[in-house]
Amino acid sequence: MSYPQGYNYGAPPGAPQPNYYAPPGPGQPYPPNPQSYPPPGAPSPYAGQPPYQQPQGYPPPGQSQQYYQHPPPQQGYPPQPSYNQPQYAPQGQYPPPGAHNPQYPPQNAYQHPPPHGQPGMPYGAPPPHHGPPPQQYVAPINATADVDAIYRACKGFGTDERALINVLGCRDAPTIDAIRAQYTTRIGRDLIETLEKETSGNFETALVSTALGPIESEAYFAHRAIVGVGTKESMLTEAIMGKSNQQIATLKTVYQRKYGETLEAAVRSDLSGKTEQMFVMALAGNKLEEWVPVDPHIVSNEVRALRAATQGRIGTDQIQVCSILTRANDAYIRAYANDYKRQYAQDFVNMIRKEFSGHMEAALLYIVKGAINKAERDAELLEDSMAGLGTKDELLISRLVRAHWDKGHFARVKAAYSSLYKKDLTKRVRGETSGDYGKMMVALAT
C-alpha cells in the first residue's frame, strides 16, 4: 500500500489526517518539510528493509540515467576488444551471495546477463540497454530520374550499358530499393527481369546482384552457389556465415520466397556430414547478438572447452568447435582468440588451420578472421578472387557487391588492401576485368 505525503502513520484508524498542503492559519507555523515525513518517531513502512544504495559509478559524472537507454553507436572496423566489462556472476550463482532481492531465479548468463544498478548488486555502472537501436524515420527517396534513365537505356533496339552502370554502380542500398520499387510502379515491369533480358554473362550477374540490394543479393549468391554441378563453397560460406540472427531470418525468408524451398533444405541437399551440420547451426539463428558484452567467466569456460575439443585422444571434436564459434558474437570470438593464445601459447587461427581442412576450415576462418579484422579479411578475399591465372569472376562480383554497400567499411577494406598488397584496389580491379562488366566492377570499387 502506498501512502500520500503527510500521512500520519501513528494515528489510530479513522483519525483525521492533517492537511499538509493547506496554508497555515494566521500566526501558525508551516509544517515540517514533507521530505521528513513520516514525523519523527512514527513507524516507517520500510522498517527492517535494507537501505537503498546506489551502485558506485552510476550514473557516470555528468551523465543522466537516460544515457543508458540505447546502445552506443557502432564503432568502425575492426572493432577493438574490450575487457573492461562488468564482472557477471557465473551461471547458477545469480544474484551473488548476500545480494538484495533473492527472489530472482538463476539466469543463463550466456543469453541473459544479470541486470545492473539494482540495490545491493555490486556490478558497477549498468551497460547500455540490451536491445537493438530504435528505428528511425527515413524519408521516402525520389528515384524518378534513375527509373527514367534505366527505362531509356533498355527501350527499343540495343541497350545503353553505360547508363545502366552510371545508375546501378553508384547508388547506395536505400536508393537501389527505391529504384526497384518505383520501376515496377511506374514502368509496370520488374527491374530484375528487365536486366536479365537486356544483358548477359558477368555483366548481367553484376547488374542483377546490385539491383537486388544487400538482402536479396545474399539469397541470389547462395542459390548460385548451390545450383548446378558441385557446390561453390566460398560463395555459399560468404552468403551465410557471420550474419546476425535478423540477417539469417531475413535471408531464409527471401530465399524461400524466391526459389520455392527453404534454405536449410537446399543446404542439406548439397552438403553432407559435419560440414552440413555446421551450416545448419549457422542457419539456426542462435548467434549471440553483437550488443551483448563479454563475460570473462564464459570466455574462460569456452576456451577450456575449445582446448579439450582439439586435444582429445580420438581426434578433434569438430562439431563442438563449430557449435561454439557459430553461436558467438565478434567480441566473444576476439576474446576466445586472445585468451587461447595467452593460456596455451598458440595462435587461434593457426589452431583452426591445424585441426580442420577443406570447406569446414574455410568457413571457420571466415568467421574468426572476420571477428578479428573484418576489413583485412575482405581485402584478402578480394585479392584471392583476382590472384593467379584467370579471375574468379563470380567470387569477385559477390565480394565486391557485398563490400560496397557499407561505404565506411569499404574505405577500410581499400586501406587494408593497399597496406597488404601495396596496390590500389580500384586499379587492380580495372586490370583484371574488361568490357562493360569491367566498367561495372570499377564503378563498384570506386
Side-chain angles (χ1 to χ4, degrees):
M1 178 177 180
S2 61
Y3 296 94
Q5 281 188 322
Y7 190 89
N8 185 354
Y9 299 100
Q17 298 292 337
N19 183 358
Y20 289 98
Y21 299 100
Q28 297 294 321
Y30 277 90
N33 191 311
Q35 292 184 357
S36 66
Y37 297 148
S44 170
Y46 304 104
Q49 296 285 343
Y52 176 83
Q53 295 181 359
Q54 191 75 281
Q56 185 176 2
Y58 171 75
Q63 297 289 355
S64 66
Q65 193 165 357
Q66 284 76 12
Y67 173 80
Y68 295 103
Q69 295 305 309
H70 303 291
Q74 294 291 323
Q75 301 298 319
Y77 288 99
Q80 298 300 317
S82 173
Y83 299 105
N84 297 324
Q85 301 294 342
Q87 301 297 307
Y88 297 142
Q91 182 174 349
Q93 297 184 21
Y94 171 72
H100 183 63
N101 198 350
Q103 301 301 318
Y104 280 101
Q107 300 288 320
N108 182 340
Y110 190 81
Q111 294 292 347
H112 304 289
H116 292 246
Q118 300 295 331
M121 292 187 179
Y123 292 122
H129 170 69
H130 284 169
Q135 295 293 323
Q136 295 182 351
Y137 171 76
V138 178
I141 296 173
N142 187 347
T144 300
D146 288 339
V147 169
D148 290 344
I150 294 173
Y151 175 73
R152 289 193 299 268
C154 299
K155 183 181 179 181
F157 295 102
T159 304
D160 186 348
E161 290 86 358
R162 177 174 292 183
L164 295 177
I165 295 169
N166 289 341
V167 174
L168 298 177
C170 309
R171 299 294 183 267
D172 61 13
T175 305
I176 287 289
D177 290 341
I179 290 171
R180 188 175 172 192
Q182 293 175 36
Y183 189 90
T184 301
T185 301
R186 296 184 64 244
I187 309 302
R189 292 199 294 265
D190 181 70
L191 176 59
I192 304 303
E193 293 178 359
T194 299
L195 295 174
E196 290 173 340
K197 179 182 177 181
E198 295 291 331
T199 59
S200 61
N202 291 327
F203 184 46
E204 174 193 335
T205 303
L207 285 174
V208 168
S209 58
T210 304
L212 286 169
I215 297 174
E216 290 195 42
S217 61
E218 295 290 22
Y220 176 76
F221 293 135
H223 185 67
R224 290 181 71 92
I226 292 171
V227 297
V229 179
T231 304
K232 298 169 184 175
E233 297 175 348
S234 295
M235 185 175 289
L236 183 62
T237 293
E238 294 160 28
I240 293 175
M241 292 296 176
K243 287 182 167 49
S244 69
N245 297 334
Q246 182 60 53
Q247 289 171 329
I248 287 291
T250 304
L251 174 63
K252 293 192 293 186
T253 300
V254 170
Y255 191 94
Q256 185 167 8
R257 186 183 72 239
K258 287 178 65 67
Y259 303 110
E261 68 173 335
T262 66
L263 182 54
E264 293 96 329
V267 166
R268 288 182 182 277
S269 68
D270 214 55
L271 302 177
S272 61
K274 294 178 180 178
T275 305
E276 175 192 338
Q277 293 181 55
M278 176 178 62
F279 274 80
V280 170
M281 289 177 189
L283 288 171
N286 292 328
K287 181 179 177 181
L288 200 63
E289 299 291 353
E290 294 300 329
W291 40 260
V292 176
V294 171
D295 182 340
H297 296 288
I298 295 173
V299 171
S300 180
N301 292 338
E302 297 285 49
V303 167
R304 285 196 296 268
L306 287 166
R307 183 66 174 180
T310 58
Q311 301 299 314
R313 293 182 179 180
I314 57 174
T316 301
D317 186 347
Q318 295 179 327
I319 295 303
Q320 172 73 349
V321 176
C322 293
S323 176
I324 292 173
L325 295 182
T326 55
R327 288 184 295 111
N329 64 19
D330 287 353
Y332 265 97
I333 292 176
R334 289 194 295 271
Y336 296 160
N338 289 333
D339 204 52
Y340 194 93
K341 186 171 184 179
R342 179 183 62 81
Q343 289 195 46
Y344 306 111
Q346 183 180 8
D347 183 77
F348 198 67
V349 170
N350 290 339
M351 179 273 288
I352 292 173
R353 286 177 172 149
K354 178 182 176 182
E355 302 295 334
F356 293 84
S357 61
H359 194 182
M360 290 188 77
E361 175 191 354
L364 290 176
L365 289 177
Y366 183 81
I367 295 172
V368 172
K369 294 175 76 174
I372 295 172
N373 192 326
K374 185 178 180 183
E376 188 172 285
R377 180 203 66 185
D378 290 353
E380 291 174 350
L381 291 173
L382 285 167
E383 174 61 19
D384 171 75
S385 62
M386 297 181 284
L389 296 176
T391 302
K392 306 176 187 73
D393 291 302
E394 278 194 312
L395 278 178
L396 177 60
I397 292 169
S398 66
R399 290 167 178 174
L400 202 53
V401 168
R402 183 177 294 112
H404 99 285
W405 295 119
D406 185 341
K407 297 303 181 184
H409 169 62
F410 198 29
R412 291 184 285 275
V413 171
K414 294 178 184 178
Y417 187 92
S418 178
S419 176
L420 288 170
Y421 304 108
K422 312 305 178 187
K423 304 173 185 177
D424 178 75
L425 178 60
T426 303
K427 292 181 180 178
R428 178 79 162 120
V429 170
R430 182 180 288 112
E432 289 293 323
T433 56
S434 61
D436 294 322
Y437 157 61
K439 293 174 184 176
M440 180 62 180
M441 291 290 95
V442 170
L444 293 174
T446 300

